Amino acid sequence: MNRIDGRKNNQLREIFLERRFQIHPAGSAIIEVGNTKVICAATIEDKVPPFLKGTGTGWITAEYAMLPGSTDPRAVRKSTGRAAEIQRLIGRSLRAVTDLSTFGERTITVDCDVLQADGGTRTASITGAFVALVEAFTTIYEEGKIFPVKDFVAAISAGFTPEGETILDLNYAEDSEALADCNVVMTGAGEFVEVQITGEKNSFSRADLNGILDLAEVGIKKLFDIQKNALGDLAWHVGQIA
Amino acid sequence: MNRIDGRKNNQLREIFLERRFQIHPAGSAIIEVGNTKVICAATIEDKVPPFLKGTGTGWITAEYAMLPGSTDPRAVRKSTGRAAEIQRLIGRSLRAVTDLSTFGERTITVDCDVLQADGGTRTASITGAFVALVEAFTTIYEEGKIFPVKDFVAAISAGFTPEGETILDLNYAEDSEALADCNVVMTGAGEFVEVQITGEKNSFSRADLNGILDLAEVGIKKLFDIQKNALGDLAWHVGQIA
Amino acid sequence: MNRIDGRKNNQLREIFLERRFQIHPAGSAIIEVGNTKVICAATIEDKVPPFLKGTGTGWITAEYAMLPGSTDPRAVRKSTGRAAEIQRLIGRSLRAVTDLSTFGERTITVDCDVLQADGGTRTASITGAFVALVEAFTTIYEEGKIFPVKDFVAAISAGFTPEGETILDLNYAEDSEALADCNVVMTGAGEFVEVQITGEKNSFSRADLNGILDLAEVGIKKLFDIQKNALGDLAWHVGQIA
Amino acid sequence: MNRIDGRKNNQLREIFLERRFQIHPAGSAIIEVGNTKVICAATIEDKVPPFLKGTGTGWITAEYAMLPGSTDPRAVRKSTGRAAEIQRLIGRSLRAVTDLSTFGERTITVDCDVLQADGGTRTASITGAFVALVEAFTTIYEEGKIFPVKDFVAAISAGFTPEGETILDLNYAEDSEALADCNVVMTGAGEFVEVQITGEKNSFSRADLNGILDLAEVGIKKLFDIQKNALGDLAWHVGQIA
Amino acid sequence: MNRIDGRKNNQLREIFLERRFQIHPAGSAIIEVGNTKVICAATIEDKVPPFLKGTGTGWITAEYAMLPGSTDPRAVRKSTGRAAEIQRLIGRSLRAVTDLSTFGERTITVDCDVLQADGGTRTASITGAFVALVEAFTTIYEEGKIFPVKDFVAAISAGFTPEGETILDLNYAEDSEALADCNVVMTGAGEFVEVQITGEKNSFSRADLNGILDLAEVGIKKLFDIQKNALGDLAWHVGQIA
Amino acid sequence: MNRIDGRKNNQLREIFLERRFQIHPAGSAIIEVGNTKVICAATIEDKVPPFLKGTGTGWITAEYAMLPGSTDPRAVRKSTGRAAEIQRLIGRSLRAVTDLSTFGERTITVDCDVLQADGGTRTASITGAFVALVEAFTTIYEEGKIFPVKDFVAAISAGFTPEGETILDLNYAEDSEALADCNVVMTGAGEFVEVQITGEKNSFSRADLNGILDLAEVGIKKLFDIQKNALGDLAWHVGQIA
């Protein structure tokens, strides 16, 4: 069976990922996954949340929001439970590949602002935020030290269609129809950081879960190449030990 | 290696689950999982969110909050991103086993208020909320109709210890140490509704994930018996076809 | 004339008061007055409000809230004017029997959360909060010092029925019918701390007021015994001079 | 012993009360009690709170706030628990002398804004709000109907000094020193509507309470004359039966 | 053509401006421009906004609000975009004639509270706030130093009528009809501080703008005399060099 | 004297303006003025604010916000007084060239979100919002009717440098240094819609004002060409009479 946009089941949408989209933040990137477009900006501040004060350890946090014109109908400007959930996921994903003890009592805030939404905004945010984060760290990196980011991290969605197909990188129309929807976050070393699978319209078996994870793994490996390409010379910092 | 409280790796904490804890709501339950204690109250209102108006379909939503004295240090009374994430999970889990087309344009709000927290408050909330939900539906159920709740649903956590053990039903001390933490929501039919696995301190392999799911499945099956016991005569409504 | 629940005019409802209901706060209690149930948790923090900084004096404050399932219809989770009024009353009542100069620049916050409401939640909160407060102070008390709590304090309601009866400890149904409703807070020494009498449906004479105060005095004396019983060995600290 | 401003113990401060201070509201008044100055504005809207919809009954509510320049230090513009408590008291006092069934499904909002504070702002608000309320009702009153306001209502404070004196109408300096502080709301018929007596620094006996009430009664009777004078021709409406 | 209230096109309404209206703030004034009445209170605090900490420079800010009874219909108590816009304009106008480097790291907050609105509340606020500001500075002024206020500042509105007349000092009825509405802020030296001209119903030419500015200049010069009169002996401080 | 970026005093920065930047809103545009970049999205809803209900008249409103990464330091996500002021200006400017009686009881909301800020974000927002607005109206326009937009509208800033130069289209560095800053909004017919000129650091004369307006007029005429180019075939709708 054919997908709405003619893709194969295991095929990603066309992806554009470029760093330095904004001039002010320490790190920034724009990621386009089909019609989904997200700006990621990483800012460094010399302070940490109260629970880290005096520990010498830094923090990474994220904020996620949708521009009013990013959806139809218009997205009202207010903080939602969904946004809270997504920004916590982005923050955990980035912290999972970062050594928080290596950059002092600083906070990196990664803002992911959705310019246009067509499914997969949270996974696109993670993939793009990683590039902004690496770029930001290079602005404070001192030669000969451990680079704070230990490995690549990227994310993709996968799910089942009502026709029983397992498909990769769902757009909005596919996501609305899907029986189960999975977001997978994975490291460059091939291990999982986070797996979230939800079957609001249908429950699913262990076999279903395994099929989805297989597909996600294929997709994420391609994302690492796209991230490396966007980082260019900055890519070699990742995982670098002093 | 022994667990802090002497349990086996695949052993649940002592669980107490009783319905009708509060007299005012249509359905109510208290669940105690070791030192974790949650009150669940299901209230029925004759209205639905805007997106369902005129569809003839009902809705189930949840609210989750911690009493100030439930934790040390004191939990400040304010809505957090974590609470938003948890209440969305509870709502999805309950909707997954409910036929929303069977009870008209009504909203069931299930309030999960944590009296005391010692790990596993979100999974205890789901397990207890199910009992309150079934009790609430019996107050509007008309003989000969389809009962809105199609199957049992319950949830448990599992995780890895730094020593490489896979353990079931983590208390707060275990959760703080765990390398990865998984929340599994499952139906009476043995299928998954939601799997969320997070490795903030460590990434994890497919084999790790499978080990955790095996353990969770064992635990959840015991929870169904505890739910049936708490529901008593009301249990037979679940999954009943007119 | 008989009361709804068969009590005599000067009779309290059945009262259950137990300390150490929650394990995390420094002091905690649950109080049940008939169907009214309130959890009281006293937490100690090493800071004071701005107006006390540098004075060496401590502070006692209270927060009061109703769980959504505590009433019918459901109590929406939001701060109300009524809650503000009640938590200020609880705070004043506790401060009236405490020597704020004896425990340094610390704040004790007493959270009163209503699990179930059937009239008299504010007076039950004061009576229960006192037990939580004493328990909390014992955790920081040093032998040979003055104990901060100088005397017992408890509270009860009384009112007139439309039939002209003066009754003690009104439940919700009685309170809704009452022409005037009075909340009395009294010390162990038999003096008043606060008297609030309101005649929204009817004004009242000096003689009416005196009749109500007589009844309240009778009720509160019984509450002191119940508080002593709940405190057990901790009770002798109260009013103890170094 | 002499009072700070040379008054006798049972003497009110100089009082100025005038209606029609603002041109826009249906009713308005300014009241000055010594240096305390409050503007009262009564507005009529053709709607009632949800709990009264369809009952044919009206509602009276109040809002109370302090202008930033009314106190030293500056009063920050925000809603406080104290303001919530006071505006609820004003609303109850006005409703106590009004027949809510006589003016249809309308809400009268009485705004009490403190221009300058020197003690007694809540009692001045009640006394002034009454005048604004009567004026407002005359704008919708139809000849031959029952006038909604059944009786006069006014309020005053009284208290004990540390020297054991019972004094009337405390200014801010006296209030700050007082061992107990009482607010009394009374009807023209000489009955109480509300008595609130608080002994934050000291508890008090029944005899103390009686002494305070005697004094308050004397003061309030003078306020009724001042209200009648301010209302002029409008005064005869009060308590008028069709 | 005659104006509603019989004024000539270049005629101000009757203006009353008096300082020391409130006793608590360091500076205070009441200004009445026809039926428009505004209280201005200037408070001094020993702190500055974050961006000025450590610079030795002070700050002047303003808050603007309408009392609920100031308009018909009743003005709801909440912060609006319009109020934000106006209070920023007041702050800029006062800062334009003040040397912020002369009074240390202090903040002067000028609260402009509208008691009654009949057009021109923002310009009346600026004219009155100036008097309160000067009065406030005299309380901290040390002989022989530079007085912080360098020049007078006042403001007035002007506009076009649909009949093509250019008129000064519009009341509410005139403002509602006007094709274009202009607010002009000017210094004692005759230069502009701020010109805001808006043609929501109609665009306007350069000639129109010049006509309006001519009229405003005439009006503002009269306001300086009124300010000097209200300041009395304090007026000579303005622009005084050590 | 040379400007920072080598421009002549009367020279605009390089401008890029393109419609249809986002696929979901009825109208959308991106405008880049040098490093300043703003997305404008116009959404149509079938409802009007309360004050227009039943009048048959539509409404145009605007929202303005800065993305966190648009400035250095990071712009915190919260509504500010400055944003309120700007979005009111955008709304007024668009309404000035629109016939609100021609498109029924609908509201057009134009969201202006600043991706990157380098001075002139409010004027860029107006210029870009116009294009999005016209595009949005074409989606509901019926042949033979009056097109709601009657004329072009665009905006630019101009100001004085400390060296006494009058310059057009200030970037952030120039704006920070400027003695006076002016925003001019003008129609295609060459009349003003809004002139706002502020001299926080310096007052200014009538001659100064005229010099600034001359420069602004030159700049805005070039903006009309850029708008026409961006609108392409849609441009002829503007000002079209049925």
Side-chain angles (χ1 to χ4, degrees):
Chain A
M1 190 225 142
N2 281 341
R3 296 174 71 174
I4 296 171
D5 54 6
R7 278 187 289 154
K8 294 185 194 144
N9 286 355
N10 65 355
Q11 195 181 342
L12 295 171
R13 288 176 280 178
E14 196 163 346
I15 296 177
F16 173 77
L17 174 53
E18 195 175 54
R19 68 178 182 86
R20 207 76 300 251
F21 180 75
Q22 290 168 305
I23 58 178
H24 296 305
S28 83
I30 185 166
I31 181 165
E32 302 183 7
V33 179
N35 278 323
T36 289
K37 300 183 186 184
V38 184
I39 299 184
C40 307
T43 311
I44 303 172
E45 284 172 298
D46 284 335
K47 61 178 186 188
V48 283
F51 69 91
L52 286 178
K53 270 185 192 149
T55 64
T57 295
W59 189 241
I60 297 171
T61 188
E63 296 195 4
Y64 168 97
M66 308 188 88
L67 263 72
S70 67
T71 58
D72 181 15
R74 178 177 180 267
V76 176
R77 287 174 204 277
K78 64 165 190 183
S79 180
T80 64
R82 177 181 169 274
E85 188 177 309
I86 292 174
Q87 65 197 17
R88 285 164 52 84
L89 170 64
I90 300 169
R92 284 197 307 268
S93 299
L94 297 176
R95 290 194 299 270
V97 293
T98 307
D99 183 343
L100 299 174
S101 70
T102 55
F103 54 96
E105 293 199 1
R106 285 164 169 148
T107 296
I108 320 295
T109 301
V110 186
D111 288 289
C112 297
D113 286 273
V114 178
L115 298 188
Q116 193 161 279
D118 187 29
T121 61
R122 82 185 69 189
T123 51
S125 293
I126 292 168
T127 305
F130 175 81
V131 170
L133 181 72
V134 171
E135 189 180 67
F137 273 128
T138 62
T139 68
I140 55 169
Y141 179 64
E142 297 168 43
E143 207 62 40
K145 291 274 181 71
I146 298 173
F147 191 75
V149 181
K150 301 175 296 183
D151 197 359
F152 281 75
V153 72
I156 201 70
S157 74
F160 308 112
T161 68
E163 296 79 14
E165 305 276 323
T166 306
I167 58 176
L168 184 66
D169 186 19
L170 289 65
N171 62 29
Y172 181 75
E174 292 174 331
D175 187 74
S176 305
E177 291 299 311
L179 298 183
D181 175 27
C182 185
N183 293 294
V184 179
V185 186
M186 205 173 233
T187 65
E191 295 219 306
F192 298 111
V193 163
E194 186 114 14
V195 172
Q196 292 192 345
I197 171 160
T198 299
E200 189 161 331
K201 291 195 194 123
N202 207 47
S203 51
F204 52 90
S205 68
R206 185 80 70 89
D208 295 332
L209 173 56
N210 280 317
I212 276 185
L213 294 179
D214 289 343
L215 213 53
E217 206 162 324
V218 169
I220 289 180
K221 282 187 177 150
K222 291 190 179 136
L223 294 175
F224 293 137
D225 287 338
I226 293 168
Q227 287 177 326
K228 276 173 198 155
N229 201 46
L231 282 170
D233 283 356
L234 304 185
W236 70 270
H237 283 93
V238 177
Q240 184 193 14
I241 310 291
Chain B
M1 190 224 142
N2 282 340
R3 295 172 71 174
I4 295 170
D5 54 7
R7 280 187 287 154
K8 294 185 195 143
N9 285 357
N10 66 356
Q11 193 180 345
L12 296 171
R13 287 177 281 179
E14 196 162 347
I15 297 177
F16 174 78
L17 173 53
E18 195 176 54
R19 69 179 181 85
R20 206 78 297 252
F21 180 73
Q22 289 169 305
I23 57 177
H24 296 305
S28 84
I30 184 166
I31 181 166
E32 303 184 6
V33 178
N35 278 323
T36 289
K37 300 182 186 184
V38 184
I39 299 185
C40 306
T43 310
I44 304 172
E45 285 172 296
D46 284 334
K47 61 178 185 187
V48 284
F51 69 92
L52 288 178
K53 271 184 192 149
T55 63
T57 296
W59 190 243
I60 298 173
T61 187
E63 296 195 5
Y64 169 97
M66 307 188 87
L67 264 72
S70 68
T71 57
D72 181 15
R74 176 177 180 269
V76 175
R77 287 174 203 277
K78 64 164 189 184
S79 180
T80 64
R82 178 182 169 272
E85 186 177 311
I86 293 175
Q87 65 197 16
R88 284 164 53 85
L89 171 64
I90 299 169
R92 285 196 306 269
S93 299
L94 297 176
R95 290 193 299 269
V97 293
T98 307
D99 184 342
L100 299 173
S101 70
T102 56
F103 55 96
E105 292 200 3
R106 286 166 170 146
T107 295
I108 320 294
T109 302
V110 186
D111 289 287
C112 297
D113 285 274
V114 178
L115 298 189
Q116 194 162 276
D118 186 29
T121 61
R122 83 185 68 187
T123 51
S125 294
I126 292 168
T127 305
F130 174 80
V131 169
L133 181 71
V134 171
E135 190 180 65
F137 274 128
T138 61
T139 68
I140 54 169
Y141 178 64
E142 296 168 42
E143 208 61 39
K145 293 273 182 71
I146 297 174
F147 191 76
V149 182
K150 301 175 295 184
D151 196 357
F152 280 75
V153 72
I156 201 71
S157 74
F160 308 113
T161 68
E163 294 81 12
E165 306 275 324
T166 306
I167 58 176
L168 183 66
D169 185 19
L170 287 67
N171 62 30
Y172 181 74
E174 290 173 332
D175 188 74
S176 305
E177 291 298 312
L179 298 184
D181 175 29
C182 184
N183 293 294
V184 179
V185 186
M186 205 172 233
T187 65
E191 294 220 308
F192 298 112
V193 164
E194 185 113 16
V195 172
Q196 291 193 344
I197 172 159
T198 301
E200 187 161 334
K201 292 194 191 123
N202 207 48
S203 49
F204 51 90
S205 67
R206 185 80 72 89
D208 296 332
L209 173 56
N210 281 317
I212 275 184
L213 294 179
D214 289 342
L215 213 53
E217 206 163 325
V218 169
I220 289 179
K221 283 188 176 150
K222 292 194 177 133
L223 294 175
F224 293 138
D225 288 338
I226 292 168
Q227 286 177 326
K228 277 172 198 156
N229 201 46
L231 282 170
D233 283 355
L234 304 185
W236 71 271
H237 284 93
V238 177
Q240 186 193 14
I241 311 290
Chain C
M1 190 224 144
N2 282 341
R3 297 172 71 175
I4 295 170
D5 54 7
R7 280 188 287 154
K8 294 183 194 146
N9 286 357
N10 66 357
Q11 193 181 343
L12 297 171
R13 287 176 282 179
E14 196 163 345
I15 296 177
F16 174 77
L17 174 52
E18 195 176 55
R19 69 179 181 84
R20 207 78 296 256
F21 180 75
Q22 288 168 306
I23 58 177
H24 296 304
S28 84
I30 184 166
I31 181 165
E32 303 184 5
V33 179
N35 277 325
T36 289
K37 300 182 186 183
V38 184
I39 299 185
C40 306
T43 310
I44 304 172
E45 284 172 296
D46 284 335
K47 61 178 186 188
V48 284
F51 69 93
L52 288 177
K53 271 185 193 150
T55 63
T57 296
W59 190 243
I60 297 173
T61 188
E63 296 194 5
Y64 168 96
M66 306 188 90
L67 263 72
S70 68
T71 57
D72 181 16
R74 177 176 180 268
V76 175
R77 287 173 204 277
K78 65 165 189 183
S79 180
T80 64
R82 178 182 170 273
E85 187 176 310
I86 293 175
Q87 64 197 18
R88 284 165 51 86
L89 170 64
I90 300 169
R92 284 197 306 269
S93 299
L94 297 176
R95 291 194 298 269
V97 293
T98 307
D99 184 342
L100 299 174
S101 70
T102 56
F103 55 96
E105 292 199 3
R106 285 164 169 147
T107 295
I108 320 294
T109 301
V110 186
D111 289 288
C112 297
D113 286 273
V114 178
L115 298 188
Q116 192 162 277
D118 186 30
T121 60
R122 81 184 70 189
T123 50
S125 293
I126 292 168
T127 304
F130 174 80
V131 169
L133 181 71
V134 171
E135 189 181 68
F137 274 129
T138 62
T139 68
I140 55 169
Y141 178 64
E142 296 167 44
E143 207 61 40
K145 292 273 181 71
I146 297 173
F147 191 75
V149 182
K150 300 175 295 183
D151 197 357
F152 280 75
V153 72
I156 202 71
S157 74
F160 307 113
T161 67
E163 295 80 12
E165 307 275 323
T166 307
I167 57 175
L168 183 67
D169 186 19
L170 288 67
N171 61 29
Y172 181 74
E174 291 173 331
D175 188 74
S176 304
E177 291 298 312
L179 298 184
D181 174 28
C182 184
N183 293 293
V184 180
V185 186
M186 206 173 232
T187 65
E191 294 218 310
F192 298 110
V193 163
E194 185 114 16
V195 172
Q196 292 193 344
I197 171 158
T198 300
E200 188 162 332
K201 292 195 193 123
N202 207 48
S203 50
F204 52 90
S205 68
R206 185 80 71 90
D208 296 332
L209 173 58
N210 281 318
I212 276 185
L213 294 179
D214 289 342
L215 212 54
E217 206 162 325
V218 169
I220 290 180
K221 283 188 176 150
K222 292 193 179 135
L223 293 176
F224 293 137
D225 287 338
I226 292 168
Q227 287 177 326
K228 276 172 198 157
N229 201 46
L231 282 170
D233 284 356
L234 304 185
W236 70 270
H237 283 93
V238 177
Q240 184 192 16
I241 312 290
Chain D
M1 191 224 143
N2 281 340
R3 294 173 72 173
I4 296 171
D5 54 7
R7 278 187 289 153
K8 295 188 194 140
N9 285 356
N10 65 356
Q11 195 180 343
L12 295 172
R13 288 176 281 179
E14 197 162 345
I15 296 177
F16 173 78
L17 174 53
E18 196 175 54
R19 68 178 181 84
R20 204 81 299 250
F21 180 75
Q22 289 168 305
I23 57 177
H24 296 305
S28 84
I30 184 165
I31 181 164
E32 303 184 6
V33 179
N35 278 323
T36 289
K37 300 183 186 183
V38 184
I39 299 183
C40 306
T43 311
I44 304 172
E45 285 172 297
D46 284 335
K47 61 178 185 186
V48 284
F51 69 92
L52 287 178
K53 271 183 193 149
T55 63
T57 296
W59 189 241
I60 298 173
T61 187
E63 296 195 6
Y64 168 97
M66 308 189 88
L67 263 71
S70 67
T71 58
D72 181 16
R74 177 176 180 269
V76 175
R77 286 175 204 277
K78 64 164 192 185
S79 180
T80 64
R82 177 181 169 274
E85 187 177 310
I86 292 174
Q87 65 197 19
R88 285 164 51 84
L89 171 64
I90 300 168
R92 283 197 306 269
S93 298
L94 298 175
R95 291 193 299 269
V97 293
T98 307
D99 183 343
L100 299 174
S101 70
T102 55
F103 55 96
E105 293 200 3
R106 286 163 168 148
T107 295
I108 320 295
T109 301
V110 187
D111 288 287
C112 297
D113 285 273
V114 178
L115 297 189
Q116 193 162 276
D118 186 29
T121 61
R122 82 185 69 188
T123 50
S125 294
I126 292 168
T127 304
F130 175 81
V131 170
L133 181 71
V134 171
E135 190 181 66
F137 273 127
T138 62
T139 68
I140 54 169
Y141 179 65
E142 297 168 42
E143 207 62 38
K145 290 274 180 72
I146 298 173
F147 192 75
V149 181
K150 300 175 296 183
D151 196 359
F152 281 75
V153 72
I156 201 68
S157 74
F160 309 112
T161 68
E163 295 79 14
E165 305 276 323
T166 306
I167 58 176
L168 183 67
D169 185 20
L170 288 67
N171 63 28
Y172 181 74
E174 291 174 332
D175 188 75
S176 305
E177 291 298 312
L179 298 184
D181 175 28
C182 184
N183 293 294
V184 179
V185 186
M186 206 173 231
T187 65
E191 295 220 308
F192 298 110
V193 163
E194 186 114 14
V195 173
Q196 291 193 345
I197 171 159
T198 300
E200 188 161 333
K201 290 194 193 124
N202 207 47
S203 50
F204 52 90
S205 67
R206 184 82 71 90
D208 296 332
L209 173 56
N210 281 317
I212 276 185
L213 294 179
D214 290 342
L215 213 53
E217 207 163 324
V218 169
I220 289 179
K221 282 186 178 152
K222 292 191 178 136
L223 294 176
F224 293 138
D225 288 337
I226 293 167
Q227 287 177 326
K228 276 172 199 156
N229 202 46
L231 283 170
D233 283 355
L234 303 185
W236 70 270
H237 283 93
V238 177
Q240 185 193 14
I241 310 290
Chain E
M1 188 226 144
N2 281 339
R3 294 173 72 174
I4 295 171
D5 53 6
R7 280 186 289 153
K8 294 184 194 144
N9 285 356
N10 66 355
Q11 193 180 343
L12 296 172
R13 287 177 280 181
E14 196 162 346
I15 297 178
F16 173 78
L17 174 53
E18 194 176 55
R19 68 177 181 86
R20 207 75 303 249
F21 180 74
Q22 289 168 304
I23 57 177
H24 296 306
S28 84
I30 184 165
I31 181 164
E32 302 183 6
V33 179
N35 279 322
T36 289
K37 301 183 185 183
V38 184
I39 301 184
C40 306
T43 310
I44 304 172
E45 284 172 297
D46 285 335
K47 61 178 187 189
V48 283
F51 68 92
L52 287 178
K53 271 184 192 148
T55 63
T57 296
W59 189 242
I60 297 173
T61 188
E63 296 195 4
Y64 168 96
M66 307 189 88
L67 262 73
S70 68
T71 58
D72 180 16
R74 177 178 180 266
V76 175
R77 288 174 202 279
K78 64 164 190 184
S79 181
T80 63
R82 178 182 169 272
E85 189 176 309
I86 292 175
Q87 66 197 17
R88 285 164 51 85
L89 170 63
I90 300 169
R92 283 197 308 269
S93 298
L94 298 176
R95 290 193 300 269
V97 293
T98 307
D99 184 342
L100 300 174
S101 70
T102 56
F103 55 95
E105 293 199 2
R106 285 162 169 150
T107 295
I108 320 295
T109 302
V110 186
D111 289 288
C112 297
D113 285 274
V114 178
L115 298 188
Q116 194 161 276
D118 186 30
T121 61
R122 81 185 70 189
T123 51
S125 294
I126 292 168
T127 304
F130 175 79
V131 170
L133 182 71
V134 171
E135 188 180 68
F137 274 128
T138 63
T139 68
I140 55 168
Y141 178 64
E142 296 168 44
E143 206 61 40
K145 293 272 181 70
I146 298 173
F147 191 75
V149 181
K150 301 176 294 184
D151 196 358
F152 280 75
V153 73
I156 201 70
S157 74
F160 308 113
T161 68
E163 294 79 15
E165 306 276 323
T166 307
I167 57 175
L168 183 67
D169 186 19
L170 289 65
N171 62 29
Y172 180 75
E174 292 173 331
D175 188 75
S176 305
E177 291 298 310
L179 298 183
D181 174 29
C182 184
N183 293 294
V184 179
V185 187
M186 206 173 231
T187 65
E191 295 219 306
F192 298 111
V193 164
E194 185 113 17
V195 172
Q196 291 193 346
I197 172 158
T198 300
E200 188 160 334
K201 294 196 192 119
N202 207 47
S203 51
F204 52 92
S205 68
R206 185 80 72 91
D208 295 331
L209 173 57
N210 281 317
I212 276 186
L213 293 179
D214 289 342
L215 212 53
E217 207 164 324
V218 169
I220 289 180
K221 282 187 177 150
K222 293 194 177 134
L223 294 176
F224 293 138
D225 288 338
I226 292 168
Q227 287 177 326
K228 275 172 200 156
N229 202 46
L231 281 169
D233 283 355
L234 303 186
W236 71 269
H237 283 94
V238 177
Q240 184 193 16
I241 312 290
Chain F
M1 190 224 142
N2 282 338
R3 295 173 72 174
I4 295 171
D5 54 7
R7 280 187 288 152
K8 294 185 192 143
N9 285 356
N10 65 356
Q11 193 179 345
L12 296 172
R13 288 176 281 178
E14 195 162 348
I15 296 178
F16 173 79
L17 174 54
E18 194 175 56
R19 69 177 181 86
R20 204 81 298 254
F21 181 75
Q22 290 168 304
I23 57 177
H24 297 305
S28 83
I30 184 164
I31 181 166
E32 302 184 7
V33 179
N35 278 323
T36 289
K37 301 183 187 184
V38 184
I39 300 184
C40 306
T43 310
I44 304 172
E45 284 172 297
D46 284 335
K47 61 177 186 190
V48 284
F51 69 93
L52 288 177
K53 272 186 191 147
T55 63
T57 296
W59 190 241
I60 297 173
T61 188
E63 296 195 4
Y64 168 96
M66 308 189 88
L67 263 72
S70 68
T71 58
D72 181 15
R74 176 176 181 268
V76 175
R77 286 174 204 278
K78 63 163 190 185
S79 180
T80 63
R82 178 182 169 274
E85 188 177 309
I86 293 174
Q87 65 197 17
R88 284 164 52 85
L89 171 63
I90 300 169
R92 283 197 307 269
S93 300
L94 298 176
R95 290 193 300 268
V97 293
T98 307
D99 183 343
L100 299 174
S101 70
T102 55
F103 54 96
E105 293 200 2
R106 285 163 169 148
T107 295
I108 320 294
T109 301
V110 186
D111 289 287
C112 297
D113 286 274
V114 178
L115 298 188
Q116 194 161 276
D118 186 30
T121 61
R122 82 185 69 188
T123 50
S125 294
I126 291 167
T127 305
F130 175 81
V131 170
L133 181 72
V134 171
E135 189 180 67
F137 274 127
T138 62
T139 68
I140 54 169
Y141 178 64
E142 296 168 44
E143 207 61 40
K145 292 273 181 70
I146 298 174
F147 191 75
V149 181
K150 302 175 293 183
D151 196 358
F152 280 75
V153 72
I156 202 68
S157 74
F160 307 114
T161 68
E163 295 80 14
E165 306 275 325
T166 306
I167 57 176
L168 183 67
D169 185 19
L170 289 66
N171 63 28
Y172 181 76
E174 292 174 331
D175 187 76
S176 305
E177 291 299 312
L179 298 184
D181 175 27
C182 184
N183 293 295
V184 179
V185 186
M186 205 172 231
T187 65
E191 294 220 306
F192 298 111
V193 164
E194 185 114 15
V195 172
Q196 292 193 345
I197 171 159
T198 300
E200 188 160 334
K201 292 193 193 125
N202 206 47
S203 51
F204 52 91
S205 68
R206 185 81 71 91
D208 295 333
L209 173 56
N210 280 317
I212 276 186
L213 294 179
D214 289 342
L215 213 52
E217 206 162 325
V218 169
I220 290 180
K221 284 188 175 149
K222 293 193 178 134
L223 294 176
F224 294 137
D225 288 337
I226 292 169
Q227 288 177 326
K228 277 171 199 157
N229 202 47
L231 283 169
D233 283 356
L234 303 184
W236 70 270
H237 283 93
V238 177
Q240 182 192 15
I241 310 291

